[in-house]
Amino acid sequence: MKKNHGVFIKNAREVACLAEANCIVANILDAAGDIVAPGLPTIRFEELARDMCADCRVRPAFLGYYGYPYAICCSVNEQVVHGFPSARRLEEGDIVSIDMGVIFDGFVGDAARTWPVGSVSAAHMELMRVTENSLYMGIEQARPGNNVYDIGAAVQRYVEAHGFNVVRRFVGHGVGAKMHEKPEVPNFRPTAHGVTLQNGMVIAIEPMVTAGTYEVDILEDKWTAVTRDGKYAAHFEHSVVITQMGPRILSISDRDLNRHIISA
Ligand code: MF3
Ligand code: CO
């Protein structure tokens, strides 16, 4: 692993490990999305994630990270990120985000998605749609020669044009042998200049978007981030390698890869 301005440049083997780690994460998120339903206690997502980690012989990356007590983060409605899975049952109209990480062969995969629970208001469907689209607006900027801050600028422009706001308190990050590496990847346009992106850098882009204020508070549990005004938030995250040909999303599930195969 070479370094450039403190950012690790991954070789082909390292990218292959990151791809495998992220594929496992995406498979777990697929399976989690499949069981989202009113009445489901959110701790079921934790059990599912731990079972799948055991099956794939990988370690959850979040469990024990700075003392974090679970394998997943599960954030409902006004919870932005780092919510705890619990006995709380999902209700029709909720929106639920799951953030998941695993360590495969010493490399970290990290991705997140948000789903509607049953039928959800049009405004909250729009919040999720805009958040997911903003992630792809950011990914589009993840090319050699661009500045890392071009990503946040694109995310912020898109989100604000649709009347929503991006959280400042948490940012995306480089990812590799450690979950959080340089550089920081904000979802907004900072004033300074960041690093120039280059072939072999791997970053997790993770816009957190709110229906109201972007200000967040942390609950008594020291982890759960909630919007200050109680309005809902959505979160989507992909890990991406920068290549000569442009961004390559690593957190793609087997189902996504095979989506063109149809059985008669
Ligand atoms: N995807 C989050 C991040 O990149 C997950 C970290 S949660 C923690 O920061 F519990 F592991 F801290
Ligand atoms: Co992340």
Side-chain angles (χ1 to χ4, degrees):
M1 262 193 291
K2 279 189 321 189
K3 262 191 169 184
N4 191 320
H5 297 283
V7 180
F8 289 112
I9 305 300
K10 275 80 177 184
N11 64 30
R13 184 193 73 85
E14 293 162 337
V15 170
C17 289
L18 286 162
E20 182 59 27
N22 277 289
C23 179
I24 292 166
V25 171
N27 288 344
I28 293 170
L29 292 176
D30 275 1
D34 287 347
I35 63 168
V36 170
L40 187 86
T42 61
I43 197 72
R44 292 281 170 271
F45 297 123
E46 173 77 11
E47 294 161 0
L48 174 79
R50 291 203 194 198
D51 286 349
M52 289 183 74
C53 283
D55 287 347
C56 299
R57 295 185 172 74
V58 293
R59 251 182 335 120
F62 299 176
L63 186 62
Y65 188 80
Y66 289 96
Y68 186 77
Y70 297 97
I72 64 163
C73 300
C74 180
S75 308
V76 181
N77 298 344
E78 80 286 354
Q79 298 174 350
V80 183
V81 286
H82 305 163
F84 291 171
S86 72
R88 172 183 182 163
R89 290 177 189 275
L90 296 175
E91 291 174 31
E92 179 106 17
D94 285 349
I95 65 172
V96 59
S97 306
I98 296 179
D99 192 346
M100 173 65 191
V102 307
I103 308 171
F104 168 84
D105 207 3
F107 288 87
V108 177
D110 184 10
R113 297 182 205 159
T114 305
W115 299 272
V117 180
S119 143
V120 161
S121 77
H124 291 143
M125 290 302 288
E126 173 75 353
L127 169 67
M128 289 183 285
R129 190 187 69 86
V130 167
T131 309
E132 187 169 18
N133 286 350
S134 79
L135 169 57
Y136 290 96
M137 301 299 284
I139 290 172
E140 164 63 24
Q141 296 298 317
R143 322 179 153 271
N146 274 7
N147 194 276
V148 68
Y149 292 166
D150 292 338
I151 294 169
V155 169
Q156 182 177 20
R157 187 180 330 111
Y158 181 83
V159 165
E160 292 179 354
H162 288 80
F164 297 112
N165 289 297
V166 296
V167 170
R168 286 22 173 197
R169 171 86 173 259
F170 302 103
V171 295
H173 49 93
V175 58
K178 294 237 169 68
M179 177 153 62
H180 294 134
E181 297 182 351
K182 284 187 173 184
E184 287 196 352
V185 184
N187 301 298
F188 51 93
R189 184 199 293 281
T191 42
H193 248 351
V195 301
T196 301
L197 295 172
Q198 78 176 73
N199 196 29
M201 290 181 179
V202 179
I203 55 176
I205 306 175
E206 49 179 318
M208 289 142 270
V209 175
T210 59
T213 179
Y214 60 75
E215 295 286 0
V216 303
D217 292 309
I218 309 297
L219 298 186
E220 298 273 80
D221 64 19
K222 301 266 178 46
W223 282 97
T224 311
V226 298
T227 59
R228 192 157 288 173
D229 60 10
K231 294 191 177 171
Y232 287 12
H235 179 211
F236 283 84
E237 174 178 25
H238 270 310
S239 293
V240 175
V241 58
I242 286 116
T243 82
Q244 238 102 61
M245 290 170 300
R248 174 185 161 209
I249 300 172
L250 297 176
S251 36
I252 294 289
S253 66
D254 289 312
R255 185 193 289 172
D256 281 339
L257 275 175
N258 291 329
R259 72 190 179 281
H260 296 293
I261 300 176
I262 51 173
S263 44

XYZ file of all heavy atoms in Angstrom, residues 95-179:
645
model
N -39.425 5.016 8.133
C -38.318 4.732 7.217
C -37.147 4.223 8.069
O -36.910 4.714 9.169
C -37.917 5.947 6.341
C -37.349 7.096 7.169
C -39.124 6.430 5.525
C -36.773 8.234 6.305
N -36.466 3.202 7.563
C -35.429 2.554 8.367
C -34.121 2.461 7.580
O -34.112 2.013 6.437
C -35.897 1.159 8.880
C -36.258 0.219 7.751
C -34.838 0.533 9.785
N -33.037 2.925 8.212
C -31.705 2.870 7.600
C -30.868 1.804 8.290
O -30.885 1.712 9.515
C -30.974 4.200 7.758
O -31.744 5.265 7.270
N -30.165 1.025 7.501
C -29.195 0.087 8.069
C -27.833 0.362 7.456
O -27.699 0.499 6.232
C -29.606 -1.377 7.830
C -30.921 -1.652 8.563
C -28.512 -2.336 8.321
C -31.435 -3.065 8.385
N -26.850 0.487 8.343
C -25.457 0.689 7.971
C -24.710 -0.541 8.461
O -24.929 -0.983 9.583
C -24.949 1.965 8.650
C -23.613 2.433 8.112
O -22.928 1.669 7.419
O -23.245 3.590 8.421
N -23.861 -1.125 7.592
C -23.232 -2.400 7.928
C -21.797 -2.424 7.429
O -21.511 -1.901 6.344
C -24.057 -3.512 7.249
C -23.472 -4.900 7.353
S -23.431 -5.450 9.061
C -22.432 -6.920 8.930
N -20.917 -3.026 8.213
C -19.539 -3.189 7.779
C -19.022 -4.570 8.150
O -19.430 -5.130 9.170
N -18.160 -5.129 7.311
C -17.505 -6.400 7.643
C -16.015 -6.290 7.340
O -15.585 -5.428 6.562
C -18.083 -7.612 6.862
C -19.594 -7.702 7.013
C -17.673 -7.597 5.398
N -15.254 -7.196 7.971
C -13.826 -7.289 7.678
C -13.559 -8.640 7.029
O -13.801 -9.691 7.624
C -12.984 -7.149 8.958
C -13.388 -5.887 9.719
C -11.491 -7.136 8.615
C -12.761 -5.777 11.099
N -13.117 -8.611 5.768
C -12.777 -9.832 5.025
C -11.291 -9.808 4.740
O -10.811 -8.869 4.084
C -13.574 -9.890 3.705
C -13.087 -10.953 2.751
C -13.517 -12.268 2.880
C -12.174 -10.639 1.754
C -13.054 -13.253 2.016
C -11.700 -11.624 0.887
C -12.138 -12.929 1.020
N -10.563 -10.813 5.222
C -9.140 -10.929 4.944
C -8.393 -9.622 5.252
O -7.510 -9.205 4.501
C -8.948 -11.320 3.468
C -7.650 -12.085 3.255
O -6.941 -12.354 4.254
O -7.317 -12.385 2.096
N -8.823 -8.947 6.337
C -8.130 -7.726 6.762
C -8.601 -6.454 6.083
O -8.032 -5.387 6.323
N -9.631 -6.548 5.251
C -10.133 -5.342 4.576
C -11.615 -5.101 4.873
O -12.388 -6.049 4.978
C -9.877 -5.429 3.063
C -8.423 -5.272 2.744
C -7.575 -6.360 2.753
C -7.896 -4.008 2.507
C -6.216 -6.210 2.513
C -6.537 -3.851 2.267
C -5.696 -4.952 2.256
N -11.957 -3.818 4.980
C -13.283 -3.421 5.468
C -14.217 -3.090 4.305
O -13.851 -2.345 3.388
C -13.162 -2.185 6.390
C -14.542 -1.719 6.850
C -12.273 -2.500 7.594
N -15.425 -3.650 4.371
C -16.510 -3.241 3.473
C -17.497 -2.415 4.282
O -17.705 -2.694 5.461
N -18.097 -1.405 3.669
C -18.954 -0.466 4.414
C -20.016 0.094 3.465
O -19.671 0.680 2.426
C -18.065 0.658 4.962
C -18.798 1.651 5.846
O -19.958 1.410 6.209
O -18.178 2.690 6.183
N -21.295 -0.105 3.796
C -22.366 0.420 2.950
C -23.637 0.595 3.773
O -23.765 0.011 4.864
C -22.642 -0.518 1.766
N -24.567 1.387 3.269
C -25.823 1.651 3.993
C -26.945 1.935 3.001
O -26.696 2.402 1.875
C -25.652 2.845 4.935
N -28.174 1.632 3.439
C -29.365 1.930 2.632
C -30.523 2.302 3.555
O -30.513 1.951 4.737
C -29.802 0.713 1.814
C -28.805 0.236 0.792
C -29.377 -0.944 0.018
N -28.296 -1.769 -0.513
C -28.436 -3.031 -0.876
N -29.616 -3.625 -0.761
N -27.409 -3.710 -1.345
N -31.533 2.929 2.981
C -32.760 3.267 3.711
C -33.959 2.701 2.954
O -33.987 2.796 1.712
C -32.908 4.791 3.857
O -31.722 5.321 4.467
C -34.115 5.162 4.715
N -34.913 2.128 3.699
C -36.110 1.534 3.082
C -37.386 2.113 3.708
O -37.395 2.450 4.894
C -36.167 0.024 3.314
C -35.049 -0.774 2.748
C -34.959 -1.305 1.492
C -33.841 -1.174 3.427
N -33.781 -2.011 1.354
C -33.087 -1.944 2.516
C -33.325 -0.954 4.707
C -31.846 -2.502 2.849
C -32.100 -1.493 5.042
C -31.365 -2.259 4.114
N -38.470 2.119 2.935
C -39.777 2.441 3.503
C -40.343 1.216 4.216
O -40.082 0.091 3.803
C -40.614 2.775 2.261
C -39.992 1.994 1.151
C -38.520 1.844 1.490
N -41.107 1.430 5.283
C -41.810 0.337 5.967
C -43.277 0.403 5.554
O -43.976 1.348 5.919
C -41.671 0.455 7.499
C -42.406 -0.699 8.185
C -40.201 0.490 7.908
N -43.690 -0.582 4.772
C -45.059 -0.551 4.247
C -45.246 0.685 3.394
O -44.356 1.087 2.653
N -46.401 1.293 3.512
C -46.671 2.472 2.695
C -46.264 3.732 3.463
O -46.603 3.892 4.630
C -48.149 2.430 2.275
O -48.684 3.699 2.258
N -45.488 4.578 2.786
C -44.842 5.728 3.422
C -45.305 6.996 2.706
O -45.609 6.958 1.510
C -43.300 5.541 3.331
C -42.549 6.822 3.539
C -42.842 4.480 4.314
N -45.341 8.118 3.402
C -45.804 9.375 2.790
C -44.971 9.718 1.558
O -43.789 9.366 1.464
C -45.703 10.522 3.803
O -44.364 10.935 3.934
N -45.594 10.425 0.615
C -44.898 10.823 -0.614
C -43.662 11.655 -0.279
O -42.613 11.524 -0.911
C -45.843 11.604 -1.523
N -43.780 12.510 0.741
C -42.649 13.371 1.103
C -41.463 12.529 1.581
O -40.302 12.831 1.255
C -43.072 14.352 2.196
N -41.738 11.472 2.339
C -40.629 10.639 2.827
C -40.082 9.735 1.737
O -38.883 9.431 1.719
C -41.067 9.852 4.073
C -41.271 10.739 5.264
N -42.268 10.543 6.202
C -40.606 11.857 5.651
C -42.190 11.505 7.115
N -41.197 12.312 6.803
N -40.930 9.313 0.799
C -40.430 8.566 -0.365
C -39.462 9.455 -1.155
O -38.408 9.011 -1.605
C -41.575 8.105 -1.270
C -42.453 7.006 -0.675
S -41.569 5.495 -0.205
C -41.198 4.805 -1.815
N -39.844 10.729 -1.299
C -39.007 11.688 -2.028
C -37.677 11.913 -1.300
O -36.615 11.996 -1.927
C -39.799 12.996 -2.183
C -39.034 14.160 -2.774
C -38.805 14.070 -4.281
O -39.124 13.026 -4.882
O -38.295 15.053 -4.845
N -37.737 12.002 0.032
C -36.500 12.146 0.823
C -35.540 10.988 0.536
O -34.334 11.202 0.318
C -36.856 12.191 2.321
C -35.689 12.087 3.305
C -34.788 13.326 3.225
C -36.200 11.902 4.742
N -36.054 9.780 0.513
C -35.192 8.610 0.253
C -34.662 8.606 -1.179
O -33.496 8.304 -1.417
C -35.960 7.308 0.545
C -36.184 7.093 2.035
S -37.008 5.530 2.382
C -38.668 5.924 1.888
N -35.537 8.953 -2.116
C -35.146 8.970 -3.529
C -34.033 10.004 -3.771
O -33.031 9.723 -4.432
C -36.364 9.297 -4.402
C -36.151 9.118 -5.895
C -37.361 9.626 -6.699
N -37.494 11.082 -6.650
C -36.873 11.929 -7.465
N -36.063 11.476 -8.405
N -37.042 13.236 -7.339
N -34.220 11.199 -3.203
C -33.227 12.266 -3.388
C -31.898 11.881 -2.715
O -30.823 12.131 -3.258
C -33.769 13.615 -2.863
C -32.659 14.653 -2.740
C -34.900 14.111 -3.770
N -31.970 11.254 -1.552
C -30.736 10.852 -0.865
C -29.970 9.824 -1.697
O -28.754 9.947 -1.895
C -31.049 10.265 0.525
O -31.888 11.164 1.235
C -29.771 10.026 1.313
N -30.690 8.824 -2.208
C -30.024 7.798 -3.015
C -29.452 8.412 -4.297
O -28.308 8.149 -4.668
C -30.989 6.658 -3.347
C -30.282 5.504 -4.047
C -31.143 4.253 -4.156
O -32.376 4.344 -4.002
O -30.550 3.178 -4.403
N -30.240 9.236 -4.960
C -29.740 9.884 -6.181
C -28.519 10.755 -5.882
O -27.580 10.814 -6.678
C -30.826 10.753 -6.821
C -31.893 9.928 -7.521
O -31.729 8.727 -7.690
N -32.972 10.580 -7.917
N -28.528 11.438 -4.727
C -27.401 12.323 -4.391
C -26.125 11.517 -4.224
O -25.034 11.985 -4.555
C -27.693 13.142 -3.125
O -27.511 12.378 -1.947
N -26.266 10.276 -3.729
C -25.096 9.396 -3.616
C -24.499 9.163 -5.010
O -23.280 9.239 -5.197
C -25.506 8.071 -2.969
C -24.480 6.931 -3.003
C -23.166 7.336 -2.345
C -25.052 5.683 -2.324
N -25.370 8.932 -5.997
C -24.857 8.683 -7.351
C -24.305 9.962 -7.990
O -23.362 9.893 -8.790
C -25.932 7.996 -8.212
C -26.143 6.575 -7.735
C -27.178 6.258 -6.852
C -25.249 5.571 -8.084
C -27.333 4.967 -6.367
C -25.390 4.278 -7.593
C -26.437 3.982 -6.734
O -26.565 2.719 -6.233
N -24.859 11.119 -7.628
C -24.283 12.389 -8.086
C -22.862 12.535 -7.536
O -21.956 13.010 -8.223
C -25.120 13.588 -7.616
C -26.565 13.597 -8.073
S -26.770 13.629 -9.853
C -26.379 15.315 -10.203
N -22.671 12.128 -6.297
C -21.342 12.180 -5.688
C -20.397 11.178 -6.329
O -19.250 11.509 -6.659
N -20.879 9.947 -6.514
C -20.037 8.892 -7.101
C -19.536 9.319 -8.476
O -18.383 9.080 -8.844
C -20.824 7.562 -7.175
C -21.048 7.005 -5.768
C -20.083 6.540 -8.051
C -21.977 5.790 -5.704
N -20.398 9.971 -9.236
C -20.050 10.449 -10.582
C -18.789 11.335 -10.569
O -18.032 11.377 -11.535
C -21.270 11.203 -11.137
C -21.056 12.097 -12.331
C -20.590 11.348 -13.568
O -20.844 10.140 -13.669
O -19.950 11.994 -14.409
N -18.561 12.016 -9.450
C -17.395 12.908 -9.333
C -16.121 12.176 -8.893
O -15.050 12.790 -8.849
C -17.691 14.030 -8.323
C -18.819 14.958 -8.744
C -18.509 15.684 -10.029
O -17.399 16.159 -10.238
N -19.495 15.752 -10.924
N -16.255 10.895 -8.541
C -15.116 10.153 -7.977
C -14.208 9.640 -9.089
O -14.195 8.453 -9.413
C -15.621 9.010 -7.092
N -13.488 10.574 -9.726
C -12.622 10.249 -10.864
C -11.232 10.831 -10.651
O -11.082 11.862 -9.987
C -13.151 10.873 -12.163
C -14.604 10.863 -12.283
C -15.120 11.501 -13.565
N -16.394 10.878 -13.847
C -16.543 9.768 -14.575
N -15.494 9.223 -15.158
N -17.711 9.234 -14.738
N -10.209 10.192 -11.245
C -8.842 10.713 -11.132
C -8.790 12.164 -11.617
O -9.402 12.497 -12.644
C -8.035 9.815 -12.063
C -8.850 8.578 -12.247
C -10.280 8.990 -12.107
N -8.099 13.007 -10.871
C -7.948 14.410 -11.263
C -8.953 15.325 -10.607
O -8.699 16.522 -10.446
N -10.111 14.789 -10.220
C -11.070 15.613 -9.480
C -10.593 15.803 -8.049
O -9.806 15.004 -7.537
C -12.451 14.944 -9.457
C -13.278 15.280 -10.681
O -12.780 15.908 -11.613
N -14.525 14.854 -10.678
N -11.110 16.850 -7.399
C -10.845 17.060 -5.985
C -11.873 16.281 -5.180
O -13.028 16.174 -5.596
C -10.919 18.549 -5.662
C -10.327 18.847 -4.296
O -11.006 18.719 -3.282
N -9.066 19.209 -4.269
N -11.449 15.737 -4.032
C -12.407 14.977 -3.206
C -13.615 15.853 -2.839
O -14.726 15.342 -2.676
C -11.715 14.384 -1.952
C -11.294 15.471 -0.979
C -12.640 13.378 -1.251
N -13.416 17.148 -2.756
C -14.521 18.038 -2.379
C -15.518 18.255 -3.521
O -16.617 18.768 -3.300
C -13.992 19.367 -1.855
C -13.273 19.251 -0.520
C -12.478 20.296 -0.048
C -13.394 18.114 0.276
C -11.815 20.191 1.181
C -12.746 18.001 1.498
C -11.951 19.048 1.938
O -11.306 18.959 3.139
N -15.159 17.865 -4.739
C -16.142 17.910 -5.842
C -17.325 16.986 -5.543
O -18.448 17.226 -6.003
C -15.496 17.474 -7.164
C -14.451 18.463 -7.664
O -14.508 19.648 -7.258
O -13.563 18.055 -8.441
N -17.039 15.922 -4.788
C -18.092 14.951 -4.463
C -19.175 15.618 -3.620
O -20.361 15.599 -3.968
C -17.480 13.732 -3.718
C -16.548 12.966 -4.669
C -18.577 12.840 -3.153
C -15.681 11.920 -3.980
N -18.739 16.237 -2.503
C -19.704 16.884 -1.613
C -20.430 18.035 -2.287
O -21.624 18.261 -2.045
N -19.714 18.751 -3.142
C -20.348 19.870 -3.845
C -21.497 19.367 -4.706
O -22.586 19.963 -4.732
C -19.305 20.603 -4.696
N -21.288 18.248 -5.391
C -22.341 17.678 -6.249
C -23.509 17.160 -5.416
O -24.677 17.359 -5.767
C -21.759 16.557 -7.107
N -23.183 16.508 -4.294
C -24.237 15.990 -3.404
C -25.075 17.156 -2.881
O -26.310 17.153 -2.973
C -23.617 15.213 -2.216
C -24.670 14.908 -1.153
C -22.950 13.925 -2.696
N -24.404 18.162 -2.355
C -25.106 19.293 -1.743
C -25.971 20.037 -2.768
O -27.118 20.389 -2.483
C -24.100 20.257 -1.125
C -24.755 21.437 -0.415
C -23.746 22.358 0.252
O -22.560 22.358 -0.081
N -24.213 23.123 1.218
N -25.416 20.276 -3.948
C -26.168 21.001 -4.979
C -27.462 20.258 -5.306
O -28.542 20.844 -5.355
C -25.298 21.168 -6.239
C -25.940 22.066 -7.290
C -25.080 22.251 -8.555
N -23.637 22.169 -8.346
C -22.863 21.184 -8.784
N -23.386 20.156 -9.448
N -21.568 21.203 -8.573
N -27.348 18.957 -5.506
C -28.524 18.145 -5.863
C -29.550 18.129 -4.719
O -30.746 18.345 -4.939
C -28.080 16.728 -6.214
C -29.226 15.844 -6.605
C -29.732 15.847 -7.906
C -29.840 15.006 -5.671
C -30.807 15.052 -8.263
C -30.917 14.201 -6.025
C -31.391 14.232 -7.316
O -32.457 13.447 -7.658
N -29.062 17.885 -3.508
C -29.972 17.759 -2.352
C -30.711 19.077 -2.114
O -31.939 19.099 -1.949
C -29.171 17.341 -1.097
C -29.987 17.549 0.177
C -28.724 15.885 -1.220
N -29.977 20.176 -2.123
C -30.606 21.473 -1.808
C -31.547 21.915 -2.933
O -32.569 22.548 -2.677
C -29.540 22.510 -1.475
C -28.845 22.173 -0.147
C -27.742 23.154 0.240
O -27.409 24.057 -0.569
O -27.193 22.985 1.355
N -31.218 21.548 -4.175
C -32.110 21.875 -5.302
C -33.465 21.183 -5.129
O -34.465 21.619 -5.698
C -31.470 21.467 -6.624
N -33.485 20.102 -4.353
C -34.738 19.380 -4.122
C -35.362 19.725 -2.771
O -36.293 19.053 -2.316
C -34.505 17.879 -4.249
C -34.284 17.461 -5.670
N -33.073 17.608 -6.308
C -35.134 16.960 -6.599
C -33.189 17.198 -7.557
N -34.423 16.812 -7.764
N -34.820 20.760 -2.117
C -35.451 21.258 -0.890
C -35.093 20.504 0.372
O -35.746 20.678 1.407
N -34.059 19.665 0.309
C -33.614 18.938 1.501
C -32.250 19.472 1.950
O -31.681 20.358 1.295
C -33.539 17.441 1.214
C -34.877 16.828 0.870
C -35.140 16.358 -0.412
C -35.876 16.714 1.828
C -36.364 15.789 -0.730
C -37.115 16.147 1.519
C -37.360 15.686 0.237
N -31.732 18.933 3.034
C -30.457 19.405 3.578
C -29.498 18.259 3.860
O -29.929 17.144 4.161
C -30.705 20.210 4.854
C -31.342 21.546 4.543
O -30.756 22.393 3.867
N -32.581 21.731 4.993
N -28.189 18.547 3.782
C -27.183 17.518 4.073
C -26.568 17.746 5.455
O -26.254 18.877 5.831
C -26.046 17.477 3.012
C -26.591 17.074 1.660
C -25.321 18.794 2.916
N -26.402 16.646 6.167
C -25.808 16.672 7.502
C -24.324 17.021 7.385
O -23.626 16.514 6.501
C -26.004 15.295 8.178
C -25.197 15.177 9.457
C -27.490 15.058 8.437
N -23.857 17.907 8.246
C -22.432 18.319 8.272
C -21.627 17.551 9.299
O -20.406 17.424 9.176
C -22.309 19.784 8.664
C -22.662 20.928 7.732
C -23.562 20.740 6.601
N -23.869 22.027 5.964
C -24.877 22.247 5.141
N -25.703 21.255 4.835
N -25.064 23.424 4.611
N -22.284 17.111 10.359
C -21.601 16.546 11.521
C -20.854 15.243 11.205
O -19.851 14.920 11.844
C -22.667 16.326 12.620
C -22.221 15.568 13.833
C -21.572 16.470 14.856
N -21.299 15.725 16.076
C -22.038 15.780 17.177
N -23.100 16.555 17.231
N -21.704 15.077 18.231
N -21.364 14.469 10.242
C -20.720 13.204 9.865
C -20.362 13.251 8.388
O -21.068 13.872 7.595
C -21.658 12.025 10.123
C -22.113 11.911 11.544
C -23.387 12.326 11.912
C -21.273 11.419 12.528
C -23.813 12.246 13.231
C -21.694 11.331 13.850
C -22.969 11.743 14.204
N -19.260 12.586 8.052
C -18.766 12.631 6.669
C -18.391 11.230 6.198
O -18.242 10.310 7.003
C -17.525 13.552 6.564
C -17.899 14.994 6.877
C -16.385 13.077 7.474
N -18.236 11.053 4.906
C -17.671 9.830 4.350
C -16.164 9.815 4.586
O -15.612 10.727 5.193
N -15.503 8.789 4.040
C -14.116 8.546 4.450
C -13.402 7.601 3.504
O -14.048 6.797 2.824
C -14.136 7.932 5.859
C -15.105 6.780 5.982
N -14.735 5.480 5.797
C -16.446 6.753 6.212
C -15.795 4.697 5.924
N -16.865 5.443 6.168
N -12.079 7.671 3.520
C -11.300 6.614 2.895
C -11.556 5.323 3.649
O -11.887 5.338 4.835
N -11.415 4.181 2.957
C -11.672 2.893 3.615
C -10.714 1.849 3.038
O -10.399 1.879 1.840
C -13.162 2.495 3.470
C -13.608 2.393 2.023
C -13.470 1.210 4.223
N -10.226 0.973 3.898
C -9.257 -0.032 3.452
C -9.021 -1.043 4.556
O -9.961 -1.685 5.028
N -7.765 -1.171 5.015
C -7.472 -2.051 6.134
C -8.090 -1.490 7.413
O -8.396 -2.221 8.342
C -5.960 -2.213 6.301
N -8.288 -0.177 7.450
C -9.020 0.474 8.546
C -10.351 0.986 8.008
O -10.441 1.363 6.835
C -8.208 1.650 9.095
C -6.909 1.224 9.767
C -6.872 1.731 11.206
C -5.727 1.108 11.998
N -4.423 1.594 11.493
N -11.362 1.034 8.865
C -12.672 1.521 8.414
C -12.614 3.004 8.070
O -13.223 3.438 7.101
C -13.740 1.282 9.485
C -15.095 1.842 9.094
S -16.457 0.981 9.845
C -16.150 1.289 11.582
